[in-house]
Amino acid sequence: MSINSPTMARQLLQQMPVKSDYLVRYMHSHITGGPELLTMEGPTWKYWRSTFAHGFSSSHIMTVIPELIEEALVFRDILQEKAEEGVNFSLESITANLAADLVGRFMLDIRFNCQRGQNDLVAALRSSVAWKEVASKFAGLFPVQFLVTLYNHYRMDRYIRPDLARRYGSTHEAVENSGRKASLFDLTFKHYMDSVPPKQGKAVAGKGMDSNFEAIARSSIKLFIFAGYDTTSTTLCYAYHLLSTHPSAARLLRREHDRILGSPPSAAAKVITINPHLLNNLPYTLAVLKETLRLYPPAEAGRAGSKDIILTDPLDPTNRKYPTEGMLVLISPHAVHTDPTYWPRPNEFLPERWLPSSSPPNTLFEALHPSEKEAWRPFSRGSRVCIDQELALTELKLVLALTAREFDVASVYEEIDRESKWKKGKLDLHGDSAWMAKGVMARPRDGMPVRVRLVGKME
């Protein structure tokens, strides 16, 4: 069953006790190999959600901005190189590497160096995802995929376990006295050591990391890298695409960066390092990102139905009831995000619909804002809203702040389709050449082929 009503989605996720569907748990087991936030339920989920929440707080994210800037500047240098080469390339391939490097710095303060090399942890995860997608299309390859997945989990655990043991093998006081900045897992470990996990007994400070924390940490590290594709990588691709195809929006965004971050654009990294909170003063940039996520939401929410869960749509005059027993219930953000019932001019890219009345330009705000506040749900809603929403939006604002004034990143789908021996003419979906290809992860079609030009040298 697929839901395209925010009210019915609220009934499913917020008002009724639902569980992750078996197929969702099965898919994630191949990727993460263990328990993690997306598949946990009940008291266990509540405990670990609370434990991780400390590391995802806005205040902590601000402390890590200088490290995230280091990774974003590598990405900026790569765009510079691509602009000088003047060649077409897959944008998704370099944004995925950027997303992995950002996750590594935030989670463990480790430089994965995916943008300039290869990291075995990330490579193994990508291999598992790729094989999962292939095996879902060709059932005969499942035995091969099973063996490859086992090997990839061995590779990932071989990378993760020694680092976790080195960091947390003794006491959390050692973390506090290490002299390095606290990472997500530093804060998570400290909270774990000071609390009482369900059915685990009290964790005694001084005993170090136990098997329960290690298992959750290993699967969570894999999950957060995987989730980076869904958010940072894919959304960044589409943000560049939409800014390139909507020059007026690009001009407004660049003017905002000039006003808040000053000139020249190359000094933005230093300015943000000194005052990371400037990223919270970019309302138009945030509006561009929210509108990008509305048009190209990267993930769906899937839950298991039951005989006790019967959904109703208040907009249906017949008051029809929808039993869910035995069903996988999917909430389709794209269907909700483009429904004219909730969205004026739903298929247009209009960042102005997200600007509050006090922030000019605001002439279209009242006319374009959704009639139902929960109609925007790229990160889901309610208690199970995506825990890294704030981090994802902060990373995206940061990368645009460091690159959008210097580079125009334009998709070249029509050129690629025209030159392809296998495709006949322009290939689009409802007029959109940059449609999303759904698999284990949502990705831009063909990795979004692009060409980069320097803004000052645009023809």
Side-chain angles (χ1 to χ4, degrees):
M1 176 188 293
S2 180
I3 292 176
N4 63 354
S5 160
T7 304
M8 295 176 72
R10 183 166 58 246
Q11 293 173 25
L12 181 69
L13 295 181
Q14 296 171 228
Q15 299 179 7
M16 301 177 179
V18 293
K19 296 183 178 181
S20 298
D21 184 77
Y22 167 76
L23 292 176
V24 176
R25 296 196 301 272
Y26 176 75
M27 184 197 76
H28 276 270
S29 70
H30 281 263
I31 306 301
T32 65
E36 29 81 0
L37 285 176
L38 284 182
T39 55
M40 290 176 181
E41 304 292 344
T44 301
W45 171 81
K46 289 181 180 179
Y47 169 78
W48 283 106
R49 172 81 183 203
S50 172
T51 300
F52 277 109
H54 297 269
F56 283 104
S57 67
S58 298
S59 59
H60 176 63
I61 291 171
M62 288 294 108
T63 69
V64 189
I65 292 297
E67 286 70 30
L68 300 183
I69 287 176
E70 290 184 30
E71 307 300 340
L73 286 177
V74 177
F75 177 74
R76 183 211 166 276
D77 290 344
I78 292 173
L79 289 183
Q80 178 76 37
E81 294 164 8
K82 297 295 185 182
E84 293 171 356
E85 294 170 3
V87 298
N88 298 340
F89 66 97
S90 165
L91 180 60
E92 191 264 345
S93 65
I94 67 170
T95 59
N97 289 334
L98 167 64
D101 283 349
L102 291 171
V103 169
R105 290 304 289 274
F106 183 77
M107 285 194 308
L108 293 164
D109 195 21
I110 289 178
R111 299 205 75 167
F112 284 163
N113 292 315
C114 292
Q115 297 182 87
R116 293 298 191 184
Q118 179 167 302
N119 177 277
D120 196 51
L121 167 61
V122 178
L125 182 74
R126 289 173 174 171
S127 173
S128 291
V129 172
W131 272 97
K132 179 63 180 174
E133 291 182 341
V134 170
S136 68
K137 298 175 183 177
F138 304 100
L141 292 175
F142 175 77
V144 179
Q145 182 232 340
F146 178 76
L147 294 175
V148 171
T149 298
L150 288 178
Y151 175 63
N152 284 332
H153 280 305
Y154 164 75
R155 291 170 62 192
M156 290 185 279
D157 291 344
R158 181 180 61 188
Y159 186 102
I160 296 170
R161 275 185 164 133
D163 187 76
L164 291 176
R166 175 176 58 83
R167 290 168 180 263
Y168 312 124
S170 55
T171 68
H172 67 283
E173 283 82 5
V175 173
E176 295 172 344
N177 299 327
S178 64
R180 58 181 169 81
K181 187 176 294 186
S183 68
L184 167 66
F185 276 91
D186 291 340
L187 297 179
T188 302
F189 180 65
K190 183 180 185 303
H191 186 271
Y192 176 80
M193 294 293 286
D194 293 336
S195 62
V196 184
K199 300 181 181 180
Q200 295 296 323
K202 185 168 180 57
V204 181
K207 296 294 186 180
M209 178 178 62
D210 62 17
S211 59
N212 183 51
F213 180 85
E214 189 205 49
I216 298 295
R218 283 190 287 114
S219 56
S220 297
I221 287 170
K222 300 169 193 175
L223 171 67
F224 294 145
I225 297 173
F226 174 70
Y229 288 92
D230 276 351
T231 51
T232 305
S233 177
T234 298
T235 305
L236 195 55
C237 285
Y238 282 110
Y240 284 126
H241 168 69
L242 290 167
L243 288 170
S244 178
T245 55
H246 296 81
S248 60
R251 284 193 295 271
L252 289 172
L253 180 135
R254 289 167 182 150
R255 288 174 189 169
E256 178 176 78
H257 293 178
D258 286 339
R259 185 174 67 255
I260 302 300
L261 304 176
S263 296
S266 58
K270 182 177 181 180
V271 171
I272 298 171
T273 298
I274 295 171
N275 185 3
H277 292 277
L278 287 175
L279 293 172
N280 296 328
N281 297 336
L282 301 172
Y284 192 79
T285 305
L286 179 60
V288 165
L289 293 170
K290 293 182 77 170
E291 187 71 344
T292 300
L293 285 160
R294 184 184 70 82
L295 291 171
Y296 297 100
E300 295 179 325
R303 311 297 286 174
S306 75
K307 64 180 181 180
D308 298 321
I309 301 176
I310 301 176
L311 305 177
T312 59
D313 184 355
L315 298 181
D316 184 352
T318 67
N319 197 30
R320 181 180 176 182
K321 299 185 183 300
Y322 297 87
T324 65
E325 184 177 6
M327 296 184 184
L328 165 60
V329 186
L330 291 175
I331 301 171
S332 172
H334 186 269
V336 177
H337 289 177
T338 55
D339 189 336
T341 304
Y342 312 104
W343 300 92
R345 299 162 64 179
N347 296 313
E348 298 180 49
F349 176 68
L350 297 167
E352 290 76 13
R353 74 171 82 242
W354 298 107
L355 293 170
S357 300
S358 59
S359 300
N362 59 22
T363 54
L364 297 177
F365 174 72
E366 296 298 334
L368 296 175
H369 204 62
S371 59
E372 163 66 62
K373 70 175 184 177
E374 294 194 8
W376 188 76
R377 48 190 321 112
F379 297 101
S380 192
R381 286 278 184 173
S383 60
R384 296 196 72 125
V385 64
C386 185
I387 195 171
D388 68 347
Q389 175 177 342
E390 183 74 18
L391 173 65
L393 291 173
T394 300
E395 289 176 342
L396 290 164
K397 285 188 288 184
L398 173 63
V399 175
L400 289 183
L402 297 180
T403 61
R405 286 187 287 174
E406 297 186 77
F407 306 103
D408 177 73
V409 185
S411 63
V412 290
Y413 279 110
E414 290 190 26
E415 177 183 332
I416 297 297
D417 291 346
R418 185 171 59 249
E419 295 175 355
S420 173
K421 294 186 297 185
W422 310 106
K423 302 169 184 175
K424 301 297 182 181
K426 181 180 179 182
L427 182 62
D428 60 40
L429 182 65
H430 304 302
D432 183 7
S433 296
W435 40 268
M436 300 185 84
K438 292 288 187 179
V440 174
M441 298 179 295
R443 293 170 172 167
R445 172 173 74 96
D446 296 336
M448 188 164 287
V450 299
R451 185 181 297 119
V452 179
R453 295 181 296 176
L454 298 176
V455 170
K457 297 182 180 180
M458 288 173 59
E459 300 177 355

